[in-house]
Amino acid sequence: MSDNTLTPLGAPARPWRDPRRYLWLLSPFFAFSAAWHLLNFQRTGEVFWLWLLPGIMYGVIPLVDALLGPDDRNPPEASVATLEADNYYRAIVVAFIPFQFAATALGCAVAASAPLTPAGWIGLILTVGGINGVAINTAHELGHKRPRWERWLSRVTLAPVAYGHFYTEHNRGHHLRVATPQDPASARMGESFWRFLPRTMWGGLRSAWHIEAGRMAQRGLPAWHWRNEVLQSWSMTVLLYGALAVAFGAKVLLFLAVQAFYGASLLEVVNYIEHYGLLRARRADGRHEPCDVTHSWNSSHVLSNLFLYQLQRHSDHHAHPGRRYQALRHFAQSPQLPSGYSAMLLAAYVPPLWFRLMDPRVAAHYGGDLTRANLHPSRREALIERYRPRARP
């Protein structure tokens, strides 16, 4: 967004105001709507209510993003300090969490008592797992911040989706290794999402445990110690699932496991999108160059950014991880996605469509020299040859 509006000569400049200030409420409202849909299903028994939230995620948001297009305006730098200090934006992030937990509990109540058809079960899993998957983005926003209470809430938010190790791996693993072959959360060009999913899930878990075991060793403590933050995070899930099993019966544990897997897969398909094919070059000393705004795919599509705390302005996030969502910037030099995440994840589920959309964009980003890209080893030579610049006759 451009600097302060011009005013008549001699008149004081108006302070900049965020034009989306109240639109950011869409994110906690999304979590509220999940709980409300589940309550309406309990009241009416209509399966429609279990499919409404997935319909919004996979249908309405991509359509509105396509209609509105991207908005690449940035807040003026003179206003960023005030914008980041405004606790209103922090309260919006925190407001998501109670509705997320309410939706999880209501989902268990439905799973335990309502007679569900196969379509009903799928809708229930997509609704509860969907909102817990989106909640990982809430945890992501909180987990990067300095106040201890925000980082603690980040791990609480990950409990329903049973993905507490993400807090450790993302902050102390992914951000160090992003856009390198060593990062399990950075997808390689030519690698389908379905190949990426088991690699990133297992690789992220293993990396988180290795990071935390190393931290324990530096303190002279064994890995299996109560101070281990991975174990603390997993314990939160055990306590939550145990309480829900006591409240609704042990049969909800299978439902919780399935919705958690789906929710975690939403995180991982976003990881797949965010760095696909991008690679940080090696310097003369053998280390990778510092991460900058060219090492993440960027999108400034309006509606999906409002729901996701501008996660899609991912280039700025990786270059400046502590910057709060309301101040994240669009950079023209960042590689740009053709749409927001809601549409791109649908493409990622269909590898031929994904490769057709994204492989030419990776090649264009590197000027046709795919030796500079992060390539799937089994397809490396074929991709280099396919996109090699040809001499004009």
Side-chain angles (χ1 to χ4, degrees):
M1 298 176 187
S2 58
D3 257 324
N4 296 345
T5 306
L6 293 175
T7 55
L9 190 64
R14 294 179 183 176
W16 180 84
R17 287 185 59 82
D18 181 3
R20 300 178 188 166
R21 182 174 178 85
Y22 299 109
L23 292 176
W24 297 114
L25 290 166
L26 282 172
S27 186
F29 178 78
F30 197 50
F32 164 79
S33 72
W36 183 57
H37 296 163
L38 291 165
L39 283 170
N40 277 310
F41 172 77
Q42 287 184 313
R43 182 176 58 85
T44 67
E46 295 290 338
V47 173
F48 159 81
W49 290 107
L50 299 179
W51 282 90
L52 188 53
L53 186 134
I56 293 169
M57 282 180 58
Y58 291 114
V60 174
I61 296 175
L63 179 60
V64 174
D65 267 345
L67 291 173
L68 295 180
D71 180 354
D72 59 7
R73 294 175 297 170
N74 296 324
E77 282 302 310
S79 302
V80 166
T82 302
L83 192 62
E84 291 211 328
D86 190 340
N87 286 330
Y88 167 79
Y89 295 95
R90 211 173 305 190
I92 286 174
V93 179
V94 174
F96 187 101
I97 302 170
F99 297 124
Q100 171 208 0
F101 274 77
T104 303
L106 285 166
C108 287
V110 171
S113 61
L116 291 170
T117 63
W121 278 111
I122 295 171
L124 180 65
I125 289 163
L126 293 179
T127 294
V128 178
I131 211 63
N132 282 327
V134 173
I136 300 177
N137 183 52
T138 300
H140 171 264
E141 176 65 22
L142 291 165
H144 276 290
K145 302 305 176 281
R146 286 187 179 276
R148 197 168 184 174
W149 68 267
E150 288 187 82
R151 288 183 279 123
W152 182 84
L153 267 184
S154 172
R155 292 194 287 157
V156 170
T157 308
L158 293 166
V161 78
Y163 226 58
H165 58 278
F166 168 79
Y167 171 84
T168 298
E169 158 57 18
H170 181 82
N171 290 286
R172 290 188 272 145
H174 173 61
H175 269 263
L176 293 177
R177 299 184 300 244
V178 64
T180 70
Q182 293 74 41
D183 179 33
S186 293
R188 301 156 183 168
M189 182 180 178
E191 177 181 32
S192 74
F193 169 67
W194 304 110
R195 284 181 174 268
F196 172 77
L197 183 61
R199 180 173 75 84
T200 189
M201 280 188 160
W202 173 245
L205 188 154
R206 184 174 57 183
S207 173
W209 183 259
H210 177 76
I211 290 168
E212 198 59 10
R215 190 176 73 89
M216 292 294 98
Q218 289 177 350
R219 296 187 172 194
L221 299 172
W224 291 88
H225 191 276
W226 69 268
R227 290 185 181 275
N228 183 315
E229 290 185 347
V230 172
L231 292 178
Q232 290 174 5
S233 298
W234 288 345
S235 296
M236 292 180 189
T237 295
V238 170
L239 289 172
L240 174 64
Y241 283 19
L244 291 169
V246 168
F248 301 106
K251 62 183 178 181
V252 301
L253 293 174
L254 178 59
F255 162 71
L256 285 167
V258 175
Q259 68 82 30
F261 178 82
Y262 168 63
S265 78
L266 287 176
L267 162 73
E268 299 302 357
V269 73
V270 167
N271 276 336
Y272 179 76
I273 293 165
E274 287 170 341
H275 306 286
Y276 178 79
L278 301 179
L279 182 67
R280 286 154 55 197
R282 286 194 181 273
R283 302 184 302 193
D285 61 5
R287 294 187 297 174
H288 289 282
E289 65 182 332
C291 184
D292 63 33
V293 297
T294 66
H295 297 125
S296 305
W297 290 97
N298 194 72
S299 172
S300 286
H301 284 77
V302 175
L303 190 60
S304 44
N305 264 327
L306 288 169
F307 277 101
L308 295 173
Y309 310 121
Q310 294 210 111
L311 178 68
Q312 299 174 145
R313 289 191 167 185
H314 208 62
S315 303
D316 196 14
H317 167 69
H318 266 279
H320 307 93
R323 199 173 180 101
R324 292 190 179 270
Y325 71 94
Q326 64 270 28
L328 289 173
R329 296 159 294 180
H330 173 97
F331 288 93
Q333 64 266 42
S334 301
Q336 303 296 319
L337 292 170
S339 189
Y341 287 174
S342 290
M344 295 306 297
L345 65 86
L346 291 172
Y349 292 153
V350 186
L353 175 59
W354 175 263
F355 295 147
R356 179 175 290 188
L357 275 174
M358 291 302 298
D359 285 5
R361 286 177 165 82
V362 177
H365 180 65
Y366 289 111
D369 181 8
L370 287 186
T371 62
R372 298 164 55 202
N374 187 8
L375 302 178
H376 191 49
S378 67
R379 296 193 61 195
R380 180 177 179 82
E381 297 306 321
L383 287 167
I384 290 173
E385 179 60 27
R386 179 178 180 182
Y387 289 99
R388 188 189 307 278
R390 309 294 180 185
R392 293 184 179 181

